[in-house]
Amino acid sequence: MLRLIREGGDWRELAAALFKGQGSWGNGAAMRIAPLGAWYADDPEQATHQAEISAYTTHQHREAVVGAMAVAAAAALAADPAGPPTPEALLDGVIALVPRSAVGAGLRRARDMLDYGDPGTVAAVLGSGRRTSAHDTVPFALWSAARALGDFERMFWTTAQVGGDVDTTCAIAGEWWPPRRPARPQRTGWDRPRNFPNGSPSRPPETVIRCRRVPGAMPAGTGGPSCSIPSLVRLSM
């Protein structure tokens, strides 16, 4: 799409034409929107309105738009200068600000599951972004964030441990934390190695790049591309 825009295409037409004219229902618009919601911390309705406008530049399917609106509303409510709401009040406020949709239905289920302590069970019901759709991503991310407002470590590991589209769910949930962090965040050891689902390593392995000289390349040490990379070799840490 960006290439077509660079070539002179109209973003309105291009975004609307995606997926056989339905527009994208992906979770990208929701993933990027929380800072805008925080900007409108004193006006959640305006946050949802601006999020709707923002989403249309890339995601014109109704669910993607509502997903962005929901995250913006949640960020605005969480950053309220008068003080943060309770988890129940937070999700109730979001539900009241978004139109009827699959995202909205997921949020209502998320509200009903706030007393569930097993993230895996909740993700099985709400989704965890495996389908990369807004309605498969936003409800769980907001459930996780609502349960752990002000506790970044808890929010992060609760969200990450279920797998799925982890970078997106963690981004959506984690964007809420900064408005409520203490003036001097302290390292508490929360970033120690952990085991992740699907056999991923608990800490990133070191890598060694085996290079061969490329004819005509710049000499080594000059900052130029002096080699190609045929393989990456993991080393035990």
Short mmCIF file of all heavy atoms in Angstrom, two decimals, residues 1-34:
data_model
loop_
_atom_site.label_atom_id
_atom_site.label_comp_id
_atom_site.label_asym_id
_atom_site.label_seq_id
_atom_site.Cartn_x
_atom_site.Cartn_y
_atom_site.Cartn_z
N MET A 1 0.82 -1.20 0.00
CA MET A 1 0.00 0.00 0.00
C MET A 1 0.86 1.26 0.00
O MET A 1 0.57 2.22 -0.73
CB MET A 1 -0.93 -0.01 1.22
CG MET A 1 -1.86 1.19 1.29
SD MET A 1 -3.07 1.02 2.62
CE MET A 1 -3.66 2.71 2.74
N LEU A 2 1.92 1.27 0.81
CA LEU A 2 2.80 2.44 0.84
C LEU A 2 3.48 2.66 -0.51
O LEU A 2 3.65 3.80 -0.95
CB LEU A 2 3.84 2.29 1.94
CG LEU A 2 3.30 2.32 3.37
CD1 LEU A 2 4.43 2.09 4.36
CD2 LEU A 2 2.61 3.66 3.65
N ARG A 3 3.83 1.55 -1.16
CA ARG A 3 4.44 1.69 -2.49
C ARG A 3 3.45 2.32 -3.48
O ARG A 3 3.81 3.20 -4.26
CB ARG A 3 4.88 0.31 -3.01
CG ARG A 3 5.44 0.34 -4.43
CD ARG A 3 5.84 -1.04 -4.89
NE ARG A 3 4.71 -1.96 -4.89
CZ ARG A 3 3.78 -2.00 -5.88
NH1 ARG A 3 3.87 -1.17 -6.91
NH2 ARG A 3 2.81 -2.88 -5.82
N LEU A 4 2.21 1.89 -3.40
CA LEU A 4 1.20 2.43 -4.31
C LEU A 4 0.93 3.91 -4.02
O LEU A 4 0.69 4.70 -4.94
CB LEU A 4 -0.09 1.63 -4.19
CG LEU A 4 0.00 0.17 -4.67
CD1 LEU A 4 -1.29 -0.57 -4.35
CD2 LEU A 4 0.30 0.12 -6.16
N ILE A 5 1.00 4.29 -2.75
CA ILE A 5 0.82 5.71 -2.41
C ILE A 5 1.98 6.52 -2.96
O ILE A 5 1.80 7.61 -3.52
CB ILE A 5 0.70 5.88 -0.89
CG1 ILE A 5 -0.62 5.27 -0.39
CG2 ILE A 5 0.77 7.36 -0.50
CD1 ILE A 5 -0.75 5.25 1.11
N ARG A 6 3.21 5.97 -2.84
CA ARG A 6 4.38 6.68 -3.38
C ARG A 6 4.26 6.85 -4.88
O ARG A 6 4.76 7.82 -5.45
CB ARG A 6 5.66 5.91 -3.05
CG ARG A 6 6.12 6.04 -1.61
CD ARG A 6 7.56 5.60 -1.46
NE ARG A 6 7.75 4.21 -1.86
CZ ARG A 6 7.64 3.18 -1.04
NH1 ARG A 6 7.33 3.38 0.23
NH2 ARG A 6 7.83 1.95 -1.48
N GLU A 7 3.59 5.90 -5.53
CA GLU A 7 3.43 5.96 -6.97
C GLU A 7 2.25 6.83 -7.39
O GLU A 7 1.90 6.89 -8.57
CB GLU A 7 3.27 4.54 -7.53
CG GLU A 7 4.53 3.69 -7.37
CD GLU A 7 4.31 2.24 -7.78
OE1 GLU A 7 3.16 1.87 -8.09
OE2 GLU A 7 5.30 1.48 -7.78
N GLY A 8 1.62 7.49 -6.42
CA GLY A 8 0.56 8.42 -6.75
C GLY A 8 -0.84 7.96 -6.41
O GLY A 8 -1.81 8.68 -6.68
N GLY A 9 -0.99 6.78 -5.80
CA GLY A 9 -2.31 6.29 -5.45
C GLY A 9 -2.94 7.08 -4.31
O GLY A 9 -2.24 7.68 -3.50
N ASP A 10 -4.26 7.08 -4.27
CA ASP A 10 -4.99 7.77 -3.21
C ASP A 10 -5.19 6.81 -2.05
O ASP A 10 -5.79 5.75 -2.20
CB ASP A 10 -6.36 8.22 -3.75
CG ASP A 10 -7.11 9.10 -2.77
OD1 ASP A 10 -7.11 8.80 -1.56
OD2 ASP A 10 -7.72 10.10 -3.21
N TRP A 11 -4.72 7.18 -0.85
CA TRP A 11 -4.79 6.27 0.29
C TRP A 11 -6.22 5.89 0.62
O TRP A 11 -6.48 4.79 1.12
CB TRP A 11 -4.10 6.87 1.51
CG TRP A 11 -4.75 8.10 2.08
CD1 TRP A 11 -4.43 9.40 1.83
CD2 TRP A 11 -5.83 8.14 3.02
NE1 TRP A 11 -5.24 10.25 2.54
CE2 TRP A 11 -6.11 9.50 3.29
CE3 TRP A 11 -6.58 7.16 3.66
CZ2 TRP A 11 -7.11 9.91 4.15
CZ3 TRP A 11 -7.58 7.56 4.54
CH2 TRP A 11 -7.85 8.91 4.77
N ARG A 12 -7.17 6.78 0.36
CA ARG A 12 -8.57 6.48 0.67
C ARG A 12 -9.06 5.31 -0.17
O ARG A 12 -9.72 4.39 0.34
CB ARG A 12 -9.44 7.72 0.43
CG ARG A 12 -9.05 8.93 1.28
CD ARG A 12 -9.71 10.20 0.79
NE ARG A 12 -9.21 11.38 1.48
CZ ARG A 12 -8.10 12.01 1.17
NH1 ARG A 12 -7.32 11.57 0.18
NH2 ARG A 12 -7.72 13.08 1.86
N GLU A 13 -8.74 5.36 -1.43
CA GLU A 13 -9.16 4.29 -2.32
C GLU A 13 -8.40 3.00 -2.04
O GLU A 13 -8.98 1.91 -2.04
CB GLU A 13 -8.96 4.71 -3.78
CG GLU A 13 -9.80 5.91 -4.20
CD GLU A 13 -9.50 6.34 -5.62
OE1 GLU A 13 -8.63 5.70 -6.26
OE2 GLU A 13 -10.12 7.31 -6.09
N LEU A 14 -7.11 3.11 -1.77
CA LEU A 14 -6.29 1.93 -1.55
C LEU A 14 -6.69 1.22 -0.27
O LEU A 14 -6.80 -0.01 -0.23
CB LEU A 14 -4.81 2.33 -1.50
CG LEU A 14 -4.22 2.88 -2.81
CD1 LEU A 14 -2.83 3.44 -2.57
CD2 LEU A 14 -4.18 1.78 -3.87
N ALA A 15 -6.89 1.97 0.81
CA ALA A 15 -7.26 1.35 2.09
C ALA A 15 -8.62 0.69 1.99
O ALA A 15 -8.85 -0.39 2.55
CB ALA A 15 -7.25 2.40 3.20
N ALA A 16 -9.53 1.32 1.26
CA ALA A 16 -10.88 0.77 1.14
C ALA A 16 -10.90 -0.48 0.26
O ALA A 16 -11.78 -1.34 0.41
CB ALA A 16 -11.83 1.82 0.57
N ALA A 17 -9.94 -0.59 -0.66
CA ALA A 17 -9.94 -1.70 -1.61
C ALA A 17 -9.32 -2.98 -1.06
O ALA A 17 -9.45 -4.05 -1.66
CB ALA A 17 -9.20 -1.29 -2.87
N LEU A 18 -8.65 -2.89 0.09
CA LEU A 18 -7.99 -4.07 0.64
C LEU A 18 -8.99 -5.17 0.93
O LEU A 18 -10.13 -4.91 1.30
CB LEU A 18 -7.23 -3.70 1.92
CG LEU A 18 -6.01 -2.79 1.76
CD1 LEU A 18 -5.48 -2.38 3.13
CD2 LEU A 18 -4.92 -3.48 0.95
N PHE A 19 -8.54 -6.41 0.77
CA PHE A 19 -9.35 -7.59 1.08
C PHE A 19 -10.71 -7.55 0.38
O PHE A 19 -11.77 -7.59 1.01
CB PHE A 19 -9.51 -7.77 2.59
CG PHE A 19 -8.20 -7.95 3.30
CD1 PHE A 19 -7.56 -6.88 3.90
CD2 PHE A 19 -7.58 -9.20 3.33
CE1 PHE A 19 -6.33 -7.03 4.52
CE2 PHE A 19 -6.35 -9.37 3.96
CZ PHE A 19 -5.73 -8.29 4.55
N LYS A 20 -10.61 -7.39 -0.95
CA LYS A 20 -11.80 -7.42 -1.82
C LYS A 20 -12.82 -6.36 -1.45
O LYS A 20 -14.04 -6.59 -1.46
CB LYS A 20 -12.44 -8.82 -1.79
CG LYS A 20 -11.51 -9.93 -2.28
CD LYS A 20 -12.20 -11.28 -2.26
CE LYS A 20 -11.25 -12.36 -2.77
NZ LYS A 20 -11.88 -13.71 -2.76
N GLY A 21 -12.31 -5.21 -1.09
CA GLY A 21 -13.19 -4.09 -0.81
C GLY A 21 -13.74 -4.03 0.60
O GLY A 21 -14.52 -3.13 0.91
N GLN A 22 -13.33 -4.95 1.47
CA GLN A 22 -13.82 -4.93 2.84
C GLN A 22 -12.94 -4.08 3.76
O GLN A 22 -13.38 -3.70 4.84
CB GLN A 22 -13.88 -6.35 3.40
CG GLN A 22 -14.83 -7.28 2.66
CD GLN A 22 -14.85 -8.65 3.30
OE1 GLN A 22 -15.48 -8.86 4.34
NE2 GLN A 22 -14.16 -9.59 2.68
N GLY A 23 -11.72 -3.80 3.32
CA GLY A 23 -10.78 -3.12 4.20
C GLY A 23 -10.15 -4.10 5.18
O GLY A 23 -10.69 -5.18 5.42
N SER A 24 -9.02 -3.72 5.75
CA SER A 24 -8.32 -4.61 6.69
C SER A 24 -8.98 -4.58 8.06
O SER A 24 -9.33 -3.52 8.57
CB SER A 24 -6.86 -4.17 6.83
OG SER A 24 -6.23 -4.88 7.88
N TRP A 25 -9.16 -5.77 8.64
CA TRP A 25 -9.66 -5.84 10.02
C TRP A 25 -8.54 -6.20 10.99
O TRP A 25 -8.77 -6.64 12.10
CB TRP A 25 -10.83 -6.79 10.16
CG TRP A 25 -10.56 -8.27 10.02
CD1 TRP A 25 -9.36 -8.90 9.88
CD2 TRP A 25 -11.55 -9.30 10.03
NE1 TRP A 25 -9.51 -10.25 9.80
CE2 TRP A 25 -10.87 -10.54 9.90
CE3 TRP A 25 -12.94 -9.32 10.17
CZ2 TRP A 25 -11.54 -11.76 9.86
CZ3 TRP A 25 -13.59 -10.55 10.13
CH2 TRP A 25 -12.89 -11.74 9.98
N GLY A 26 -7.32 -5.96 10.56
CA GLY A 26 -6.15 -6.30 11.38
C GLY A 26 -6.05 -5.46 12.64
O GLY A 26 -6.78 -4.49 12.85
N ASN A 27 -5.07 -5.81 13.49
CA ASN A 27 -4.94 -5.17 14.80
C ASN A 27 -3.94 -4.01 14.82
O ASN A 27 -3.65 -3.46 15.88
CB ASN A 27 -4.57 -6.21 15.86
CG ASN A 27 -3.36 -7.05 15.47
OD1 ASN A 27 -2.48 -6.59 14.75
ND2 ASN A 27 -3.32 -8.30 15.93
N GLY A 28 -3.41 -3.65 13.67
CA GLY A 28 -2.39 -2.61 13.64
C GLY A 28 -2.87 -1.24 14.07
O GLY A 28 -2.16 -0.50 14.75
N ALA A 29 -4.09 -0.87 13.67
CA ALA A 29 -4.62 0.44 14.07
C ALA A 29 -4.79 0.52 15.58
O ALA A 29 -4.56 1.57 16.19
CB ALA A 29 -5.94 0.71 13.35
N ALA A 30 -5.20 -0.58 16.18
CA ALA A 30 -5.36 -0.62 17.64
C ALA A 30 -4.02 -0.59 18.34
O ALA A 30 -3.88 0.00 19.43
CB ALA A 30 -6.15 -1.87 18.04
N MET A 31 -3.02 -1.22 17.75
CA MET A 31 -1.71 -1.32 18.39
C MET A 31 -1.05 0.04 18.52
O MET A 31 -0.33 0.31 19.49
CB MET A 31 -0.81 -2.26 17.60
CG MET A 31 0.59 -2.42 18.18
SD MET A 31 1.60 -3.64 17.32
CE MET A 31 1.83 -2.86 15.73
N ARG A 32 -1.29 0.93 17.60
CA ARG A 32 -0.53 2.19 17.57
C ARG A 32 -1.24 3.36 18.26
O ARG A 32 -0.68 4.44 18.38
CB ARG A 32 -0.26 2.57 16.11
CG ARG A 32 -1.51 2.98 15.35
CD ARG A 32 -1.23 3.29 13.88
NE ARG A 32 -2.43 3.73 13.19
CZ ARG A 32 -2.85 3.26 12.03
NH1 ARG A 32 -2.17 2.29 11.44
NH2 ARG A 32 -3.94 3.74 11.45
N ILE A 33 -2.46 3.19 18.73
CA ILE A 33 -3.32 4.32 19.05
C ILE A 33 -3.27 4.81 20.48
O ILE A 33 -3.72 5.92 20.77
CB ILE A 33 -4.78 3.98 18.67
CG1 ILE A 33 -5.59 5.26 18.43
CG2 ILE A 33 -5.42 3.09 19.74
CD1 ILE A 33 -5.11 6.09 17.28
N ALA A 34 -2.75 4.03 21.42
CA ALA A 34 -2.85 4.41 22.84
C ALA A 34 -2.28 5.79 23.15
O ALA A 34 -2.87 6.52 23.97
CB ALA A 34 -2.19 3.35 23.72
#
